[in-house]
Amino acid sequence: WGCYTVDNSYAEVDLYAIYRKGAFSLAVLDYYSPNEAVKQNDFFQFNSKTTRHIVDVNASYSGTSSLPIRLMVGTMVYGDDRRDSAGTNRYSTYIEAGYTLKLSALQKIDFFVGGTPHKSLYGKQGGIVNVGFTAHQTVKILRQYDLPAYASIVINPMTENIYFILGITIL
Protein backbone atom coordinates (compact mmCIF):
# COMPACT_ATOMS: atom_id res chain seq x y z
CA TRP A 1 0.00 0.00 0.00
CA GLY A 2 1.08 3.59 -0.13
CA CYS A 3 0.28 7.18 0.66
CA TYR A 4 0.98 10.61 -0.73
CA THR A 5 0.33 14.01 0.85
CA VAL A 6 -1.45 16.70 -1.14
CA ASP A 7 1.34 19.22 -0.35
CA ASN A 8 4.10 16.91 -1.72
CA SER A 9 5.84 16.81 1.69
CA TYR A 10 5.72 13.04 2.19
CA ALA A 11 5.24 9.84 0.24
CA GLU A 12 5.42 6.20 1.26
CA VAL A 13 5.35 2.88 -0.60
CA ASP A 14 5.03 -0.23 1.55
CA LEU A 15 5.48 -3.86 0.67
CA TYR A 16 4.45 -6.53 3.16
CA ALA A 17 3.92 -10.21 3.78
CA ILE A 18 1.46 -11.54 6.36
CA TYR A 19 0.93 -15.00 7.82
CA ARG A 20 -2.47 -15.49 9.49
CA LYS A 21 -3.62 -18.29 11.74
CA GLY A 22 -7.09 -17.71 13.14
CA ALA A 23 -7.22 -14.36 14.94
CA PHE A 24 -3.41 -14.08 15.09
CA SER A 25 -1.05 -12.73 12.46
CA LEU A 26 2.64 -12.12 11.98
CA ALA A 27 3.80 -9.56 9.40
CA VAL A 28 7.02 -8.27 7.90
CA LEU A 29 6.72 -4.82 6.35
CA ASP A 30 9.10 -2.77 4.23
CA TYR A 31 8.29 0.93 4.60
CA TYR A 32 9.96 3.00 1.88
CA SER A 33 9.83 6.80 1.89
CA PRO A 34 11.24 8.30 -1.30
CA ASN A 35 12.70 11.79 -1.32
CA GLU A 36 10.07 13.81 -3.17
CA ALA A 37 12.60 16.58 -3.99
CA VAL A 38 14.57 14.41 -6.44
CA LYS A 39 13.56 12.62 -9.64
CA GLN A 40 15.46 9.40 -9.00
CA ASN A 41 15.49 7.57 -5.67
CA ASP A 42 17.55 4.59 -4.60
CA PHE A 43 14.78 2.03 -4.08
CA PHE A 44 17.22 -0.90 -4.32
CA GLN A 45 19.75 0.59 -1.88
CA PHE A 46 19.65 -1.34 1.43
CA ASN A 47 22.84 -0.15 3.19
CA SER A 48 21.83 0.01 6.87
CA LYS A 49 23.45 3.43 7.36
CA THR A 50 21.88 5.20 4.35
CA THR A 51 18.77 3.31 3.20
CA ARG A 52 15.34 4.97 3.12
CA HIS A 53 13.72 1.58 3.85
CA ILE A 54 12.54 0.49 7.29
CA VAL A 55 11.85 -3.19 7.99
CA ASP A 56 9.20 -3.68 10.66
CA VAL A 57 8.07 -6.96 12.23
CA ASN A 58 4.72 -7.04 13.97
CA ALA A 59 2.34 -9.44 15.63
CA SER A 60 -1.36 -8.87 16.10
CA TYR A 61 -4.54 -10.35 17.49
CA SER A 62 -7.72 -9.40 15.63
CA GLY A 63 -10.34 -10.55 18.12
CA THR A 64 -13.60 -12.30 17.41
CA SER A 65 -17.12 -11.20 16.46
CA SER A 66 -18.19 -11.50 20.10
CA LEU A 67 -15.06 -9.66 21.36
CA PRO A 68 -14.08 -7.20 18.57
CA ILE A 69 -10.80 -5.98 20.05
CA ARG A 70 -7.45 -5.64 18.30
CA LEU A 71 -3.97 -5.74 19.81
CA MET A 72 -0.78 -5.13 17.85
CA VAL A 73 2.91 -4.69 18.62
CA GLY A 74 5.53 -3.87 16.00
CA THR A 75 9.26 -3.19 16.13
CA MET A 76 11.48 -1.68 13.45
CA VAL A 77 14.39 -4.07 13.11
CA TYR A 78 16.40 -2.65 10.21
CA GLY A 79 16.95 0.45 8.12
CA ASP A 80 16.09 4.13 8.41
CA ASP A 81 15.39 4.01 12.17
CA ARG A 82 18.84 5.16 13.18
CA ARG A 83 19.64 6.46 16.65
CA ASP A 84 22.78 8.38 15.70
CA SER A 85 25.27 9.11 12.94
CA ALA A 86 26.91 5.73 13.59
CA GLY A 87 23.73 4.15 12.25
CA THR A 88 22.75 2.08 15.28
CA ASN A 89 19.12 0.99 15.22
CA ARG A 90 16.66 2.43 17.78
CA TYR A 91 14.30 -0.55 17.50
CA SER A 92 11.33 1.82 17.52
CA THR A 93 8.34 -0.04 18.93
CA TYR A 94 4.65 0.76 18.58
CA ILE A 95 1.83 -0.87 20.55
CA GLU A 96 -1.85 -0.37 19.66
CA ALA A 97 -5.20 -1.48 21.06
CA GLY A 98 -8.46 -1.04 19.22
CA TYR A 99 -12.16 -1.79 19.32
CA THR A 100 -14.54 -2.20 16.35
CA LEU A 101 -18.16 -1.07 16.49
CA LYS A 102 -20.06 -2.73 13.62
CA LEU A 103 -23.00 -0.59 12.53
CA SER A 104 -24.16 -2.64 9.53
CA ALA A 105 -22.79 -4.98 6.88
CA LEU A 106 -21.42 -1.93 5.05
CA GLN A 107 -20.44 0.32 7.96
CA LYS A 108 -18.17 0.10 10.99
CA ILE A 109 -16.13 2.38 13.24
CA ASP A 110 -12.70 1.44 14.58
CA PHE A 111 -11.50 3.19 17.75
CA PHE A 112 -7.80 2.99 18.64
CA VAL A 113 -5.07 4.16 20.97
CA GLY A 114 -1.37 3.54 20.48
CA GLY A 115 1.95 4.41 21.96
CA THR A 116 5.64 3.78 22.20
CA PRO A 117 7.43 2.45 25.30
CA HIS A 118 10.62 4.48 24.76
CA LYS A 119 12.19 7.33 22.79
CA SER A 120 11.96 6.31 19.16
CA LEU A 121 10.90 7.27 15.67
CA TYR A 122 7.37 7.49 17.11
CA GLY A 123 8.09 9.98 19.89
CA LYS A 124 10.70 11.92 21.83
CA GLN A 125 9.87 9.78 24.87
CA GLY A 126 7.65 6.87 25.81
CA GLY A 127 3.93 7.67 25.77
CA ILE A 128 0.70 7.84 23.78
CA VAL A 129 1.28 8.97 20.17
CA ASN A 130 -1.97 7.96 18.46
CA VAL A 131 -5.63 8.29 19.48
CA GLY A 132 -8.53 8.29 17.08
CA PHE A 133 -11.19 6.56 15.07
CA THR A 134 -11.78 5.41 11.52
CA ALA A 135 -15.23 5.26 9.94
CA HIS A 136 -15.54 2.65 7.17
CA GLN A 137 -18.25 2.72 4.50
CA THR A 138 -18.59 0.40 1.52
CA VAL A 139 -19.99 2.29 -1.45
CA LYS A 140 -21.81 0.49 -4.26
CA ILE A 141 -20.65 1.59 -7.71
CA LEU A 142 -22.81 0.71 -10.71
CA ARG A 143 -24.60 -1.87 -8.53
CA GLN A 144 -21.86 -4.42 -9.17
CA TYR A 145 -18.70 -3.17 -7.49
CA ASP A 146 -18.10 -2.51 -3.79
CA LEU A 147 -15.59 0.28 -3.08
CA PRO A 148 -14.39 0.27 0.54
CA ALA A 149 -13.76 3.85 1.68
CA TYR A 150 -12.71 5.26 5.03
CA ALA A 151 -12.09 8.50 6.90
CA SER A 152 -10.00 8.87 10.03
CA ILE A 153 -9.47 11.51 12.68
CA VAL A 154 -6.15 10.92 14.45
CA ILE A 155 -4.64 12.93 17.30
CA ASN A 156 -1.01 12.68 18.42
CA PRO A 157 -1.00 13.99 22.02
CA MET A 158 2.82 13.98 22.16
CA THR A 159 3.24 16.37 19.22
CA GLU A 160 -0.15 18.07 19.70
CA ASN A 161 -1.07 17.38 16.05
CA ILE A 162 -4.36 16.29 14.51
CA TYR A 163 -4.76 14.54 11.16
CA PHE A 164 -7.70 13.90 8.84
CA ILE A 165 -7.19 10.96 6.49
CA LEU A 166 -9.30 9.80 3.55
CA GLY A 167 -8.71 6.52 1.80
CA ILE A 168 -10.10 3.88 -0.53
CA THR A 169 -9.26 0.24 -1.01
CA ILE A 170 -8.94 -1.01 -4.57
CA LEU A 171 -9.20 -4.78 -4.72
Side-chain angles (χ1 to χ4, degrees):
W1 70 275
C3 70
Y4 194 79
T5 58
V6 293
D7 67 355
N8 199 30
S9 64
Y10 183 79
E12 186 175 316
V13 177
D14 303 332
L15 303 174
Y16 60 91
I18 300 174
Y19 173 76
R20 289 190 174 96
K21 180 83 173 169
F24 295 93
S25 67
L26 182 63
V28 176
L29 301 97
D30 175 8
Y31 303 120
Y32 175 68
S33 298
N35 179 348
E36 290 302 297
V38 299
K39 285 188 176 192
Q40 183 174 346
N41 279 277
D42 296 322
F43 181 79
F44 294 104
Q45 194 275 100
F46 287 94
N47 180 299
S48 66
K49 292 180 177 39
T50 57
T51 187
R52 297 186 65 84
H53 291 266
I54 296 175
V55 177
D56 181 89
V57 176
N58 73 50
S60 62
Y61 171 75
S62 61
T64 63
S65 58
S66 60
L67 184 61
I69 62 168
R70 291 178 323 285
L71 302 171
M72 188 275 294
V73 61
T75 299
M76 296 177 181
V77 296
Y78 184 83
D80 194 16
D81 180 36
R82 295 176 284 279
R83 175 185 330 231
D84 52 33
S85 60
T88 57
N89 195 320
R90 290 187 281 196
Y91 297 100
S92 294
T93 299
Y94 177 75
I95 302 165
E96 184 175 283
Y99 177 81
T100 299
L101 177 62
K102 188 172 180 177
L103 303 174
S104 72
L106 301 176
Q107 296 176 324
K108 69 178 180 178
I109 300 175
D110 291 325
F111 300 92
F112 51 85
V113 60
T116 185
H118 55 82
K119 180 179 178 181
S120 68
L121 182 75
Y122 297 108
K124 57 188 173 213
Q125 62 193 28
I128 302 298
V129 297
N130 200 24
V131 177
F133 68 91
T134 301
H136 300 264
Q137 170 74 50
T138 299
V139 180
K140 290 270 190 202
I141 297 177
L142 303 173
R143 294 186 202 165
Q144 53 192 358
Y145 181 73
D146 291 338
L147 179 67
Y150 61 90
S152 301
I153 300 282
V154 182
I155 297 170
N156 182 331
M158 194 172 292
T159 61
E160 298 184 15
N161 282 324
I162 187 167
Y163 304 94
F164 179 64
I165 301 162
L166 294 174
I168 58 171
T169 302
I170 300 173
L171 304 173

